């Protein structure tokens, strides 16, 4: 990802199809925020969105559990799938606590997210991977950048976030997500961290301040194959590929909106 331009994300926002995706997402988000249930029971919608978002993110990392299984379980240390679900739940709970720090020190937030996901055991936790360290990241099989490239690109990404800019929230969130997925900066749970960082951008930008539009739900609903195919567009770096990835992320947000709209409807009927 080039950082030569003053704000390279603005140019991405003008790619063919991207303004339409941005507009469609904004309209969808506005509709769910206008639901009558949101006036009195938004906290319940937020909690449900966090749970469903965690389930979706874990599914993309190889732990595709039913929602009710995620809801009822209390032990998340039994095996790798359980640990993945537990990590996703902890990350969605943590995301809202880190908004202010994100704007000032995104690398500190990423380190914190990995610590929350992986726990405090092992010297590889809470820092970018070093030369020679192996990476466990289910689903993503793209070539792995070396540690030096990871460090440089993380610094570039952090610089863009700290500088701010006028690019739409969807564009920024998609680039943060895609870049972290491309780098896989940690020895484990980089996919979960990438999707949580996307969540943080969407919340912190003001697009989804109450965290009721879980993009992770939409990423999972579109399926692992579609997720990988769209991500390959990001990796290509071509205008078409980048636009494909941003549109995919936009559709994920819209599907998250649809999920939370259904939650609102259930709450209104007294069924949830």
């Amino acid at each position: 990802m080039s950082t030569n331009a003053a704000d390279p994300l603005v140019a991405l926002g003008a790619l063919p199809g991207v303004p339409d995706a941005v507009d469609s997402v904004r309209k969808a988000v506005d509709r769910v925020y206008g639901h009558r249930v949101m006036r009195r029971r938004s906290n319940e919608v937020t909690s449900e969105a966090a749970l469903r978002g965690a389930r979706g993110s874990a599914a993309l990392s190889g732990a595709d559990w039913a929602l009710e299984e995620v809801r009822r379980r209390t032990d998340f240390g039994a095996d790798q799938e359980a640990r993945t679900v537990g990590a996703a739940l902890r990350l969605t709970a943590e995301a809202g606590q880190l908004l202010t720090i994100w704007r000032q020190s995104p690398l500190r937030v990423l380190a914190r997210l990995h610590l929350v996901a992986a726990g405090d055991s092992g010297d590889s936790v809470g820092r970018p991977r070093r030369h020679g360290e192996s990476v466990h990241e289910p689903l993503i099989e793209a070539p792995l950048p070396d540690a030096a490239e990871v460090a440089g690109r993380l610094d570039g990404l952090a610089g863009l976030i700290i500088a701010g800019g006028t690019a739409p929230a969807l564009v920024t969130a998609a680039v943060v997500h895609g870049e972290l997925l491309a780098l896989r900066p940690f020895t484990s749970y980089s996919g979960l961290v990438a999707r949580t960082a996307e969540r943080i951008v969407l919340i912190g930008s003001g697009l989804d301040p109450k965290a009721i539009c879980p993009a992770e739900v939409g990423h999972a609903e579109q399926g692992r194959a579609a997720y990988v195919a769209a991500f390959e567009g990001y990796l290509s770096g071509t205008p078409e590929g980048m636009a494909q990835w941003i549109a995919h992320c936009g559709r994920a947000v819209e599907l998250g909106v649809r999920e939370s709209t259904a939650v609102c409807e259930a709450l209104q009927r007294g069924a949830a």
Side-chain angles (χ1 to χ4, degrees):
M1 184 181 63
S2 171
T3 58
N4 294 332
D7 187 356
L9 303 187
V10 170
L12 296 179
L15 290 174
V18 172
D20 289 340
V22 169
D23 185 55
S24 183
V25 165
R26 166 50 69 189
K27 288 177 178 175
V29 171
D30 285 347
R31 282 195 299 271
V32 71
Y33 269 84
H35 197 287
R36 62 187 301 177
V37 165
M38 289 295 297
R39 288 199 289 269
R40 295 181 182 175
R41 305 181 69 178
S42 65
N43 288 344
E44 293 172 71
V45 182
T46 296
S47 296
E48 195 64 26
L51 182 73
R52 293 170 188 235
R55 193 217 74 80
S57 192
L60 289 170
S61 285
D64 192 0
W65 288 14
L67 180 63
E68 292 311 313
E69 177 71 3
V70 177
R71 196 190 302 279
R72 74 170 186 83
R73 282 285 283 268
T74 56
D75 173 21
F76 294 100
D79 52 45
Q80 184 55 51
E81 282 198 10
R83 288 191 290 273
T84 297
V85 174
L89 287 166
R90 292 191 298 275
L91 286 172
T92 55
E94 187 77 6
Q97 316 297 318
L98 300 171
L99 299 176
T100 302
I101 304 172
W102 174 258
R103 299 185 192 100
Q104 301 166 352
S105 182
L107 298 185
R108 182 177 158 200
V109 168
L110 294 175
R112 172 63 185 170
L113 291 175
H114 187 244
L115 179 65
V116 167
D120 58 3
S121 59
D123 69 349
S124 67
V125 172
R127 61 158 176 80
R129 55 185 168 84
R130 296 172 182 154
H131 178 70
E133 289 184 324
S134 62
V135 171
H136 175 71
E137 185 53 50
L139 187 61
I140 303 303
E141 298 178 352
L144 198 65
D146 64 28
E149 182 179 349
V150 168
R153 287 170 64 175
L154 282 176
D155 283 344
L157 183 64
L160 286 176
I161 294 164
I162 293 167
T166 58
L170 172 64
V171 173
T172 304
V175 168
V176 167
H177 181 172
E179 188 70 353
L180 292 174
L181 210 56
L183 296 178
R184 280 146 290 161
F186 304 107
T187 57
S188 60
Y189 298 119
S190 288
L192 293 181
V193 169
R195 291 183 287 275
T196 305
E198 179 185 48
R199 165 182 280 264
I200 288 172
V201 173
L202 294 171
I203 298 169
S205 67
L207 177 66
D208 181 24
K210 294 183 182 294
I212 62 166
C213 307
E216 307 95 323
V217 167
H219 287 304
E221 186 171 334
Q222 291 178 90
R224 290 158 66 97
Y227 184 71
V228 170
F231 173 59
E232 287 172 354
Y234 179 87
L235 288 176
S236 76
T238 65
E240 297 80 10
M242 295 298 289
Q244 176 190 5
W245 171 248
I246 294 166
H248 182 89
C249 291
R251 179 61 178 157
V253 176
E254 291 187 59
L255 290 169
V257 167
R258 187 174 73 178
E259 186 89 352
S260 287
T261 300
V263 170
C264 288
E265 294 294 328
L267 289 169
Q268 186 168 291
R269 293 193 308 269

